[in-house]
Amino acid sequence: MPLRVAIVGSGPAGIYTAEALTKQSAEPVEVDVLERLPTPYGLVRYGVAPDHTSIKSIAGYLRRVLEQPGIRFLGGVELGRHITVDDLRAAYDAVVYCTGAMVDRRMNIPGEDLPGSVAATDFVNWYCGHPDVPADAFTLDSTEVAVIGVGNVAVDVVRILAKTAAELRTTDVPEEVLGALADSQVKAIHMIGRRGPEHAKFTLKELRELGELANADVSVRPDEAGDNDVSELSRQIRGNVEVLRGWAARTPVGRPRRLDVRFWLRPVEIIGTDRVEGIRLERTALSDGRVVGTGVFETIPAGMVLRSVGYQSVPLPGVPFDERSATVPNTAGRIAPGQYVAGWLKRGPTGVIGTNKSDAAETVRTLLADLAAEPVAPPAVRLDDLLAERGVRPITYAEWLSIEAAEAERARSLGRGERVKLVGLAAMLAACGREQAPA
Ligand SMILES: Cc1cc2nc3c(=O)[nH]c(=O)nc-3n(C[C@H](O)[C@H](O)[C@H](O)COP(=O)(O)OP(=O)(O)OC[C@H]3O[C@@H](n4cnc5c(N)ncnc54)[C@H](O)[C@@H]3O)c2cc1C
Ligand SMILES: NC(=O)c1ccc[n+]([C@@H]2O[C@H](COP(=O)([O-])OP(=O)(O)OC[C@H]3O[C@@H](n4cnc5c(N)ncnc54)[C@H](OP(=O)(O)O)[C@@H]3O)[C@@H](O)[C@H]2O)c1
């Protein structure tokens, strides 16, 4: 009997786990990849910025893994809704949870929930066409936007706000999103870091792209860019600081939009009565290596505040969860014999797509070593039978391909790029020839 493994989540971690399981030759394996959405690839489809087409092309690699014999994709199947941990334990020799990090981290400051205060998770989901966020969720009717955080997600969000709709026309952004971007009133974007340029989390390649925007002048204040010696710092950090100092010496050339990159300012309140009117910030400084407030405050007027301060995993019912780190406690991927974890749910929401490959490989080594040390009895039930009893008809890989085909057709009919995302579950299910949601 081949080993039967369920992987929950079809992002990079899930698919690299499937690859590591099928690539090894010690044990014949059958893998089911379960995914709550009708579509695979997690954040590669619903996170990676639409204008980063070369990174998005990694989906081609993930696709080849999903098409390997012994691997099955079951979309529209959600752990906690259609199936339980006990179901999976009964139906498989081992289960690997790879459900990523779906929600935003909170800043816990007053005004965070005012209309116009937006989590980057929602904004990214919107422009990526994620079915959880309606296509008309945002209108960009504010002239000033503050983006909190200086990581790579903040850089993505800033770039999408700064570019013109024409520049994004050949990407896969939904047509409705392209319309909202065409109507954008945004003139000034303030990107705000609570520490200095040398502490920013963005990477050099991504930062440089902001300096090459055709539609926006970029500026940094010389006093915030600093002039301290950075020659001892890593090449990556030195590069960031040098780029930012270069921008501090630039003169605006009158492009339609302005990007102001700010440092040493920590958010203390999002202000406004019925909706966001601005953000109050306290200037910070280093004291004994720690960032402290200086008691000097500044308010930036903004009709929209985009909080890009990190993603966070959510607990899965029946799976242990450490609330403090928002990860699943594990040892080299093992939660308990028979139950494993990989990807952002295992190590937190950091790292690029490739990081999940070695991470998944570690988890698979642990899983195989456990099963070799203590063989388990063959599973007593079949997931397909459990799902059928509950009236759940998973989206098959072939049906996913028909969603892809419909997206390519939409792009052709609109005269746009390779694909245009379908928005909403109903449109995706219609592309599969189904009328109803899976359940
Ligand atoms: C906005 C953004 C942009 C990024 N851009 C880049 C980039 O350009 N380059 C790069 O290298 N890295 C990028 N990253 C990082 C990269 O996307 C992550 O490292 C990677 O996606 C994490 O993989 P994962 O499989 O752990 O999680 P995810 O990719 O989030 O996949 C998790 C999957 O699990 C599914 N799921 C969740 N809950 C359930 C459930 N209960 N039942 C069934 N399925 C479930 C989800 O729908 C999802 O498909 C970006 C990250 C973000 C947030
Ligand atoms: N092109 C790419 O390769 C790409 C694109 C997107 C994402 N990613 C990856 O995906 C991962 C997640 O990216 P991310 O940008 O979400 O997270 P991140 O890299 O952790 O950056 C989060 C940012 O938010 C700031 N922050 C956190 N809490 C804050 C608070 N309370 N107030 C103000 N600022 C706060 C952090 O500042 P402190 O440092 O001071 O905490 C940091 O600047 C990263 O590993 C990233 O590299 C990669």
Side-chain angles (χ1 to χ4, degrees):
M1 275 280 278
L3 207 59
R4 293 198 42 78
V5 181
I7 294 172
V8 187
S10 68
I15 297 185
Y16 287 134
T17 300
E19 182 184 36
L21 279 165
T22 49
K23 254 189 166 172
Q24 54 80 37
S25 52
E27 286 281 352
V29 186
E30 280 179 6
V31 179
D32 282 349
V33 179
L34 315 177
E35 167 60 53
R36 67 183 273 261
L37 301 176
T39 58
Y41 312 141
L43 285 166
V44 172
R45 181 174 159 91
Y46 290 123
V48 172
D51 57 340
H52 277 176
T53 42
S54 66
I55 303 176
K56 277 208 168 299
S57 66
I58 205 152
Y61 182 92
L62 302 179
R63 162 198 291 266
R64 285 191 292 281
V65 175
L66 271 189
E67 289 176 355
Q68 293 291 312
I71 300 182
R72 200 164 64 130
F73 173 73
L74 293 91
V77 178
E78 181 171 343
L79 174 61
R81 181 165 170 224
H82 305 110
I83 46 162
T84 65
V85 164
D86 286 345
D87 294 334
L88 294 176
R89 306 259 7 241
Y92 296 91
D93 295 310
V95 186
V96 189
Y97 306 104
C98 305
T99 50
M102 297 172 40
V103 299
D104 60 300
R105 221 182 274 150
R106 303 284 296 175
M107 294 197 296
N108 297 318
I109 58 170
E112 202 166 355
D113 294 318
L114 274 173
S117 164
V118 173
T121 44
D122 288 335
F123 193 70
V124 168
N125 277 346
W126 172 68
Y127 67 64
C128 288
H130 194 294
D132 283 0
V133 176
D136 61 357
F138 297 105
T139 47
L140 301 171
D141 47 11
S142 310
T143 53
E144 308 245 350
V145 178
V147 177
I148 310 301
V150 284
N152 277 332
V153 172
V155 170
D156 280 350
V157 161
V158 162
R159 211 177 52 254
I160 297 298
L161 286 169
K163 282 191 169 180
T164 61
E167 288 175 290
L168 295 166
R169 192 174 157 69
T170 55
T171 70
D172 65 6
V173 296
E175 188 65 4
E176 298 83 342
V177 170
L178 198 66
L181 293 170
D183 294 339
S184 168
Q185 300 299 309
V186 173
K187 294 272 177 291
I189 305 159
H190 310 271
M191 185 188 190
I192 300 162
R194 62 177 170 180
R195 301 189 282 159
E198 61 271 47
H199 309 116
K201 297 267 175 65
F202 41 57
T203 41
L204 183 53
K205 184 165 163 284
E206 281 63 32
L207 179 67
R208 278 202 182 114
E209 244 186 298
L210 294 183
E212 291 156 11
L213 290 168
N215 195 48
D217 282 319
V218 54
S219 68
V220 178
R221 297 176 190 209
D223 56 327
E224 292 179 358
D227 56 6
N228 52 317
D229 179 16
V230 289
S231 58
E232 299 292 303
L233 300 178
S234 72
R235 210 162 66 96
Q236 170 76 20
I237 294 176
R238 212 170 54 235
N240 280 350
V241 174
E242 283 163 2
V243 165
L244 291 162
R245 287 182 184 166
W247 294 352
R250 278 192 189 182
T251 313
V253 297
R255 294 192 176 98
R257 292 189 176 130
R258 200 181 82 228
L259 166 61
D260 228 353
V261 189
R262 304 292 311 272
F263 292 100
W264 301 110
L265 293 168
R266 77 173 174 205
V268 288
E269 183 179 0
I270 297 177
I271 49 180
T273 321
D274 299 325
R275 55 168 299 117
V276 168
E277 290 164 22
I279 179 148
R280 189 157 185 264
L281 305 152
E282 182 179 16
R283 184 152 292 282
T284 57
L286 278 184
S287 166
D288 292 333
R290 282 185 46 245
V291 178
V292 294
T294 60
V296 177
F297 294 88
E298 171 177 343
T299 296
I300 295 181
M304 184 182 201
V305 172
L306 262 157
R307 308 174 330 253
S308 183
V309 298
Y311 280 52
Q312 191 167 299
S313 297
V314 292
L316 293 167
V319 179
F321 194 73
D322 174 14
E323 293 288 347
R324 203 184 46 79
S325 65
T327 55
V328 171
N330 69 91
T331 307
R334 180 193 307 105
I335 304 167
Q339 295 199 79
Y340 305 86
V341 61
W344 275 15
L345 182 65
K346 173 183 174 186
R347 55 172 210 281
T350 60
V352 291
I353 295 164
T355 320
N356 300 294
K357 190 166 184 167
S358 44
D359 179 300
E362 178 193 64
T363 294
V364 168
R365 278 194 301 276
T366 304
L367 181 157
L368 293 171
D370 282 359
L371 288 172
E374 197 158 341
V376 288
V381 293
R382 279 167 35 88
L383 185 77
D384 297 40
D385 296 337
L386 291 178
L387 291 174
E389 276 165 26
R390 292 166 199 174
V392 181
R393 192 151 64 90
I395 302 286
T396 63
Y397 186 74
E399 285 177 311
W400 148 242
L401 292 183
S402 59
I403 296 175
E404 269 201 317
E407 294 187 337
E409 178 46 39
R410 187 143 169 76
R412 258 192 306 279
S413 68
L414 292 165
R416 292 182 48 191
E418 273 180 30
R419 81 166 68 205
V420 169
K421 294 248 184 76
L422 300 181
V423 181
L425 282 180
M428 291 191 214
L429 293 169
C432 302
R434 296 199 195 185
E435 281 171 20
Q436 292 292 317

